[in-house]
Amino acid sequence: MKRRDFIRFGSAGLTAAAVLGAARSRQLQAYAHPVPDPRTDGDRVVPSFCELCFWKCGILAHVKDGRVTKIQGNPNDPLSGGRLCPRGAGGTGLLYDPDRLQRPMIRRGARGSQRFEEVSWDAALNRVAEGMQAITARHGAEALALYSHGYGGSWFEHLFKAYGSPNITHPSYAQCRGPRDAGFELTFGEGAGSPEITDIAHARCLVLIGSHLGENMHNTQVQDFASSIRAGGDLIVVDPRFSTAAGKARHWLPIKPGADLALLLAWMHVLITEGLYDRDYIAQYAYGFEQLKAHVEPLTPEWAHPRTGIDPAVIRQTAHLMAGARPATLVHPGRHVTWYGNDTQRSRAIAILNGLLGSWGRRGGLYSSSQLEVMPYPKPAYPTVTAAIRDRADPTLYPLGHELAQGIRDASIRTEGKEPGIRGWMVYGSNLPTTLPDQRATYRAIQDLELLVTVDVLPMEIVGWSDVVLPEATYLERWDDLNTPAYREPFVSLRQAAVDPLFESKPGSWIAKELGKRLGLASYFPWNDAKEYVETRVRATGLDWERLRKDGTLRGSPQPLYYEEGVAPSFDTESGKIELYSAQLAGLGFDPMPTFHDGEVEDPPAGYYRLLTGRAPTHTFGRTTNNRLLSEVFAENAVWVNRAVAAKWRLQDGERIYLKNQDGVRSTYSAPVKVTERIHPDAVYLVHGYGHKAKGLRFAQARGIDDAELITRYKVDPIMGGTGMNVNFVTFLRASDVDAEAAKEVVT
Ligand code: MGD
Ligand code: SF4
């Protein structure tokens, strides 16, 4: 049994669970902190949780005269602790965005022309149901796919499961954290979780490898990071860029992009050959130590030096620092880890390093989470689906991967002599053209679709290409399912509407139910609405509904977090131990231990620089770049260029440039240059999510460069199918160069 199952209720039946739940309820109330009077200037305060990113912090929405006037952190909530990140407080910028989708629309012009007719909900929903049924009649339900990102997507996943399609996918897997979870599962039998199970606040040494905490703003992690630094914890940052976190670090290791695995192996070498690893822990819990020892024996810091650019003395010094603080040394698993296509192996190396330091399951390392299971709403079982997910051409590919978003896209493209396996998409909260690598493939797939339905709040790029657009109410205007993540403590949070939906937008729960009715699936939607749905679940579990509505969150009693507090070590791996050597990987034809292959990560061609991307603290991907409140702080991205490189190209700080990639694709818009020592000379850096082309985004359109259009290549992780995207190179074009190129194009 995994540790995170520790306090789950059985799901045998409603009555039994209600009895169990009553005891749980008392326990929960004992730990619920009352919400202090927040001295609102409004009429009421509605607790809920945020959706500006996926951390789901508890919020208090202040409402006056039917409008949300401000959003604060809910002190009762363990994820926010009463404090929000800069984005969370800016939620009203989304709610009152003048560009919001207002009414359902049906496409009237050519695909992508962005010409629509506003229609009634009935007409739009009927059109979607008819389109789905027409595809099903010809090709089966499995010819329909759902792309889902964001909390309200659960209603549509339910709809698709009831409808009988296995093609449900989330770009947050193959474009984000999938390789990390595969690497950790292979090593510990369990992923790193979301929220991550990182005990940052108690880490005495924190190692960040391309994980820019502080820019990649996940509230609790950033608060814990600040506590760790305040408490004198050591910080080692490995990044080709001098990130905000690097500014706080005792050691910044400006690694050559793509060489992290060499550094990780050299660190293992030092820990093992100098006997600095946690011997007892490894002897007790690990499998394959002797093989690992032999494997890293020749991989000295001197071996790593030419590959990484890091001085061997610094590699030794940092390994000693990590060993000195173990087991309270946390090598952070990272989150957006789809870099070079060998990402599962790099993530596995990070996991193994944590194993050698004895930090898995230990204070200051990676804690054992617990989760509250709330009773389900009674509904019929889903139909059995025998068709496999259509996310790869050959079922033997990517043996440890599931639901590859780019694979579903590729299966939607008509090729010579081959009919597409996918004919229709429903897209919930995912702006696919800027999310999947290789935009040309995405647009080809879209052109081949028989039906594209988008459920969104803003007129993003994907909306412009849709046949039917269904405007969703924002998170401040709707109820959603309960949030009960595996975390440091069990808790449940409620999303409740602070105000009524604006315009004719509707909650996703309503849209999915209405579609269900039209598709003959009414029995799968027996609830009246999302409020009744969650209330039934909460009451059936024996929790205090009124209290939850008032406080927003009910917290369970603290559970043991570490082995030293009594958590029983258990590893859901083939050997039942921490796998330093993976017989499973060997059996599948992969390296059983992470191996650095020279030349595997291609170097930039002459005159080109590796395109690296990241986040700004005030934004989440492209979803917030039209938010005028958040953009007061960060309205446009800039191209970070190393000072020596800028001098070579005679680029001035602030000068606007275009980027062109190795395949001749030029950015549609320009951005200012940021000349800085803070980026490796082999690379340039851009914040992701800018350079929108959608006309309806009247604020964000044409601001900055869209990194996604330059990501024409990607390298697929052979183990789980993640798309390594840091394999593209760009060069610089001045406005005059762009004009010259355009003139050349006209002549030819
Ligand atoms: P966003 O870009 O945030 O997420 O990529 P996506 O899944 O596309 O777009 C979210 C969409 O949701 C927007 O259209 C927004 O308007 C809409 N939306 C916002 N709120 C709501 C709501 O309440 N309801 C509905 N229905 N819609 C809403 C994220 C994905 O991208 C991820 S997780 C990662 S880590 C990758 N990051 C990344 C990168 O850094 N660079 C490049 N080039 N590609 C990337 N792709 C991946
Ligand atoms: Fe909202 Fe920020 Fe929390 Fe994300 S980290 S849920 S944006 S407050």
Side-chain angles (χ1 to χ4, degrees), residues 49-59 71 73 77 79-80 83-90 216-222 475 495 617-620 624 630:
F49 58 86
C50 182
E51 180 77 19
L52 274 259
C53 85
F54 309 105
W55 208 250
K56 306 182 196 81
C57 297
I59 57 169
I71 301 172
D77 168 66
L79 290 172
S80 73
R83 284 179 287 168
L84 298 181
C85 85
R87 294 165 301 183
N216 184 1
M217 188 62 76
H218 288 135
N219 196 351
T220 335
Q221 290 206 58
V222 179
Y475 70 102
R495 170 167 288 157
T618 40
H619 288 291
T620 306
T624 55
L630 299 181

Side-chain angles (χ1 to χ4, degrees), residues 362-411:
R362 309 284 282 281
R363 187 178 160 88
L366 294 120
Y367 66 81
S368 296
S369 61
S370 51
Q371 182 175 25
L372 183 76
E373 187 161 298
V374 182
M375 290 303 297
Y377 194 108
K379 53 183 180 291
Y382 294 126
T384 309
V385 177
T386 49
I389 185 165
R390 295 187 169 165
D391 65 347
R392 64 203 79 182
D394 175 350
T396 62
L397 289 171
Y398 324 122
L400 301 186
H402 50 90
E403 53 126 323
L404 308 176
Q406 81 282 4
I408 298 253
R409 179 215 35 211
D410 296 344

Side-chain angles (χ1 to χ4, degrees), residues 598-627:
D598 280 315
E600 187 179 40
V601 178
E602 205 185 329
D603 283 333
Y608 282 76
Y609 304 87
R610 187 179 300 281
L611 176 62
L612 299 180
T613 66
R615 313 275 181 244
T618 40
H619 288 291
T620 306
F621 319 120
R623 70 166 48 207
T624 55
T625 43
N626 203 59
N627 184 317

Side-chain angles (χ1 to χ4, degrees), residues 149 171-172 175-176 336 428-431 434-435 455-458 460 472 478 613 615 620-623 688 707-708 711 725:
H149 194 197
S172 51
Q175 280 68 52
C176 186
H336 182 213
Y428 178 90
S430 193
N431 190 26
T434 59
T435 297
V455 184
D456 209 303
V457 292
L458 284 169
M460 306 293 275
E472 194 180 23
R478 66 179 197 240
T613 66
R615 313 275 181 244
T620 306
F621 319 120
R623 70 166 48 207
H688 170 62
D707 57 314
I711 300 182
M725 297 193 262

Side-chain angles (χ1 to χ4, degrees), residues 268-281:
M268 290 181 208
H269 168 95
V270 177
L271 293 179
I272 293 177
T273 56
E274 297 187 23
L276 300 173
Y277 65 99
D278 193 330
R279 278 173 193 275
D280 294 344
Y281 182 93

